[in-house]
Amino acid sequence: MHNADDDEAERLELIRRYVTPDRRYLRVGGALVGMRQRERAKFLRKLGKAADEISPRELGMLFDGGWRERKTAAWLVAVAGRTEFRQRLGELLLASEGPYAGQAYCVALATFGTSADVAPLVAYLDRYLRRPDLYYDQEAALGALLLLDARLGTDYAARFLATNGLWQQWIDGPPSKERETPDSYREFIGLLCAFADAAAQHCSTTRRGVTAGCQSPRVQR
């Protein structure tokens, strides 16, 4: 019979197996860009194998945890193409209950690459671009939406980017924000998706092809 102590022991074991190895929870995301090619290839190989091994139930337990567990789980979902977690990702993104994991949710939705993945991103931008005081994951969400537009031949991002639209209102603040072009966010999310695609080569789970518009992960140091 399962009890609270058993659940806690299982949770800690999952963190030990999937979250903390090689400081995975810190390195998935933008830190991948700064890695040397050989180091990144080794890291992505291990990430792909982990995505292959973890069960849906175990992923659910990680999503019930803190930001480290959720961020890692989102990347494992992205690598394995586990679209059954689409709704969960959208709910977590929209709730924005904690820091650091939102970008990972956006990457996962972008890797799925279908029209069903547009709605969570649009809902997020509709809510949080109206809050210029909150500097959350607006840039990642816009980048992911632009990437999906490129893949699907759609233009869902257009109304956010219209003159004096919600994106401009959010950028103008207050407070003031550093400004980069929307395409730069698309390219960055595309690069992260390409890393997920590279990890997926080491994952036997059935997965979609490389996300259209993603760059090849050729960054070297």
Side-chain angles (χ1 to χ4, degrees), residues 7-26 50 54 58-73 76:
D7 289 340
E8 179 63 11
E10 184 177 7
R11 186 185 72 84
L12 292 174
E13 176 63 13
L14 287 176
I15 292 172
R16 185 191 70 78
R17 288 178 62 194
Y18 295 110
V19 179
T20 57
D22 298 323
R23 297 184 300 161
R24 182 175 288 151
Y25 69 93
L26 285 178
I54 194 167
E58 291 169 335
L59 282 166
M61 291 184 69
L62 291 183
F63 277 124
D64 286 337
W67 69 265
R68 295 169 182 82
E69 297 96 306
R70 291 178 175 183
K71 180 183 178 185
T72 306
L76 294 173

Side-chain angles (χ1 to χ4, degrees), residues 65-68 70-71 91-103 105 124 128 135-137:
W67 69 265
R68 295 169 182 82
R70 291 178 175 183
K71 180 183 178 185
E91 291 169 353
L92 289 169
L93 178 63
L94 193 60
S96 289
E97 294 175 335
Y100 308 123
Q103 181 191 89
Y105 306 150
Y124 180 86
Y128 289 102
Y135 200 102
Y136 284 180
D137 297 289

Side-chain angles (χ1 to χ4, degrees), residues 59-149:
L59 282 166
M61 291 184 69
L62 291 183
F63 277 124
D64 286 337
W67 69 265
R68 295 169 182 82
E69 297 96 306
R70 291 178 175 183
K71 180 183 178 185
T72 306
W75 268 86
L76 294 173
V77 162
V79 170
R82 295 185 182 272
T83 57
E84 67 267 31
F85 285 95
R86 177 184 289 116
Q87 182 175 345
R88 188 71 183 277
L89 290 164
E91 291 169 353
L92 289 169
L93 178 63
L94 193 60
S96 289
E97 294 175 335
Y100 308 123
Q103 181 191 89
Y105 306 150
C106 294
V107 169
L109 291 168
T111 62
F112 295 163
T114 73
S115 57
D117 304 296
V118 168
L121 297 167
V122 168
Y124 180 86
L125 292 168
D126 262 328
R127 176 177 295 186
Y128 289 102
L129 288 181
R130 300 176 193 277
R131 295 293 307 274
D133 57 312
L134 300 180
Y135 200 102
Y136 284 180
D137 297 289
Q138 291 92 334
E139 294 165 352
L142 181 67
L145 184 59
L146 285 167
L147 199 63
L148 286 174
D149 274 342

Side-chain angles (χ1 to χ4, degrees), residues 32-48:
L32 286 166
V33 178
M35 289 185 192
R36 294 181 182 275
Q37 187 177 27
R38 183 176 296 180
E39 177 190 16
R40 184 170 56 242
K42 181 179 178 181
F43 180 86
L44 293 177
R45 182 170 63 251
K46 290 182 178 180
L47 184 66

